[in-house]
Amino acid sequence: GQNQNKKQSKQNKQQDSLTPVSALFPTGDYPEGEIMLYKEDNLWRSTSAEKKELEKLTISDIINVRQAAEVHKRVRKDAMSFIKPGMKLVDICRRIEETNKKLVEASGLDRGIAFPTGCSINRCAAHYTPNTGDDTVLGVDDVVKFDFGTHVHGRIIDCAWTMTFNPVYDPLVEAVKEATNTGIREAGIDVRLTDIGEKIQEVMESYEVTLPDGKTYPVRSIKNLNGHSIDPYVIHAGKSVPIVKNGDTTRMEEGEFYAIETFGSTGKGYVVEEMECSHYMKRKDSGFVQLRTASAKQLLTHISKTYDTLAFCRRWLDDDGQTKHLAALRQLVQAGIVTAHPPLCDIKGSYTAQFEHTLVLRPTCKEVLSRGDDF
């Protein structure tokens, strides 16, 4: 009987992990993220009656994004429990995507996956997901970054973590986790972007890592990768949060959403576009362009209807039945309607790691929406 009970409780857990979060929070009272008070000149905001009133105006936005965050936490918990070396990356991505859809109750552009599941490995830092037919297997010595997104009514949670299966990479992972937490701590209303980058870099570059080749490498902030502001249905909304000191004196402002992400590397600390492209996104501002072919027009109609300005990948187009899309997709890129986002990689033999959270600069406090008990 005891085994039966164990089985039963395992099934219940499994069931619970696949229950849409709206059913788990029937009153729509989704948990708050981590609350951090503003510092010094902005500390008054936490007790300001005026700011508390102002906050009530955006409460529906906050509830939407908290629901997306709750989905993200549960999907990644499931992911962390099943991901093992020897699995195909495409199988991992598909399971993450299926669980994401179930928990958020994906429905057209109303709610669902916010962008393709990144599973960039080793020297590749970002924007890799397998295209159809890519059967790359996760290796025991790989450093893999899982970066996936969830949205509810266009309010996006963009959040990522690094997985390794060999403890030699621990200092690299630690450096990046600490650097991201530093960026989160430093972010705030009126804070200059370059100052955040400077603090991140200081923490990141205080670490070194001894790789399997026996050599010790400094951990470097990847200087041409950034965090970014987020708008409804727009993942990169115009402001970049550097991870090095870059002289950008633009300031963060009240009400903005940000993805704070940092990347550390044992290589040059600089990435270039390499390998076959999988990630694409329709431009927000492309305007009307006359297209030459019926296939390009048809593909654009499909992209607009299915993804609008949210990022998508070639594997999803295949799944949608758009199986012969490559030439048409290239035309849309050439016409400036769609942008291509190829994998971003450091030098051969290097390893890169990433951690990322989404936060909102509420009028009264900073809320780290995607913070979980995992990271």
Side-chain angles (χ1 to χ4, degrees):
Q2 212 167 6
N3 255 4
Q4 202 52 45
N5 287 354
K6 258 194 191 145
K7 234 185 193 156
Q8 198 57 49
S9 106
K10 201 171 177 183
Q11 271 169 353
N12 290 350
K13 275 211 180 82
Q14 205 105 41
Q15 237 18 69
D16 195 41
S17 70
L18 289 179
T19 306
V21 299
S22 71
L24 299 173
F25 298 92
T27 60
D29 205 6
Y30 296 99
E32 211 170 35
E34 179 193 15
I35 300 298
M36 300 175 99
L37 296 183
Y38 294 123
K39 297 198 265 201
E40 292 137 25
D41 292 354
N42 272 313
L43 188 56
W44 61 272
R45 290 170 167 277
S46 57
T47 52
S48 158
E50 182 197 353
K51 292 300 177 191
K52 282 182 183 163
E53 273 310 302
L54 184 59
E55 211 154 78
K56 288 180 186 164
L57 299 176
T58 58
I59 194 65
S60 69
D61 260 354
I62 298 283
I63 289 167
N64 286 335
V65 78
R66 282 181 189 154
Q67 182 179 358
E70 188 59 33
V71 170
H72 198 287
K73 287 173 215 175
R74 289 167 183 269
V75 174
R76 73 191 193 229
K77 184 177 184 178
D78 178 64
M80 288 175 196
S81 75
F82 81 78
I83 293 168
K84 301 278 182 295
M87 295 179 76
K88 287 183 190 175
L89 291 173
V90 68
D91 293 339
I92 296 171
C93 289
R94 284 199 185 282
R95 174 153 164 189
I96 288 173
E97 288 159 8
E98 285 312 307
T99 308
N100 199 354
K101 284 184 199 166
K102 276 201 186 85
L103 298 201
V104 79
E105 296 166 282
S107 170
L109 285 168
D110 199 40
R111 50 180 60 236
I113 298 178
F115 52 83
T117 308
C119 55
S120 308
I121 281 190
N122 302 341
R123 73 190 188 96
C124 282
H127 296 168
Y128 167 81
T129 198
N131 284 335
T132 307
D134 175 346
D135 286 329
T136 304
V137 168
L138 181 59
V140 71
D141 289 318
D142 285 341
V143 176
V144 59
K145 284 74 61 184
F146 287 103
D147 189 344
F148 75 90
T150 309
H151 82 91
V152 174
H153 300 301
R155 281 293 170 195
I156 298 172
I157 290 288
D158 184 357
C159 175
W161 77 100
T162 296
M163 283 181 92
T164 58
F165 311 95
N166 180 339
V168 304
Y169 305 113
D170 288 356
L172 172 63
V173 173
E174 190 59 29
V176 182
K177 191 183 279 183
E178 278 311 303
T180 294
N181 283 330
T182 300
I184 290 166
R185 216 166 37 244
E186 295 299 324
I189 295 169
D190 302 328
V191 178
R192 302 187 325 166
L193 297 172
T194 185
D195 295 339
I196 301 172
E198 186 175 4
K199 291 279 186 7
I200 287 171
Q201 184 172 19
E202 206 173 281
V203 170
M204 182 83 78
E205 300 193 348
S206 67
Y207 286 80
E208 52 182 34
V209 53
T210 304
L211 290 181
D213 64 8
K215 288 193 195 136
T216 301
Y217 296 83
V219 177
R220 295 199 165 104
S221 268
I222 299 181
K223 63 172 171 278
N224 58 335
L225 289 177
N226 306 81
H228 46 93
S229 56
I230 303 177
D231 278 347
Y233 296 101
V234 179
I235 187 72
H236 287 244
K239 286 189 185 177
S240 291
V241 185
I243 61 176
V244 298
K245 180 180 176 176
N246 75 342
D248 183 353
T249 58
T250 308
R251 294 176 191 269
M252 290 185 160
E253 294 169 70
E254 177 179 278
E256 288 179 326
F257 288 77
Y258 280 95
I260 302 292
E261 59 184 317
T262 77
F263 294 84
S265 176
T266 64
K268 273 190 173 161
Y270 184 84
V271 289
V272 295
E273 296 182 350
E274 278 189 48
M275 308 198 306
E276 188 173 83
C277 190
S278 58
H279 286 51
Y280 294 83
M281 190 162 56
K282 193 174 83 151
R283 285 174 56 150
K284 194 173 170 230
D285 54 1
S286 60
F288 180 75
V289 181
Q290 191 63 52
L291 290 167
R292 286 178 298 131
T293 65
S295 62
K297 284 176 200 163
Q298 186 274 327
L299 182 62
L300 179 57
T301 301
H302 173 75
I303 291 166
S304 299
K305 191 177 85 230
T306 316
Y307 305 105
D308 190 32
T309 53
L310 295 171
F312 59 92
C313 62
R314 292 194 52 202
R315 176 165 55 82
W316 291 355
L317 293 180
D318 290 330
D319 294 348
D320 296 342
Q322 302 283 328
T323 47
K324 294 193 164 52
H325 61 254
L326 189 55
L329 185 55
R330 287 205 172 124
Q331 268 185 55
L332 296 178
V333 172
Q334 271 157 356
I337 300 169
V338 167
T339 49
H341 300 274
L344 298 165
C345 308
D346 203 332
I347 56 172
K348 289 214 162 54
S350 67
Y351 293 87
T352 61
Q354 172 201 20
F355 279 91
E356 175 178 28
H357 275 299
T358 296
L359 59 78
V360 56
L361 300 176
R362 286 168 45 185
T364 63
C365 64
K366 173 170 56 183
E367 182 173 347
V368 189
L369 296 153
S370 52
R371 177 75 78 198
D373 49 21
D374 46 7
F375 66 91

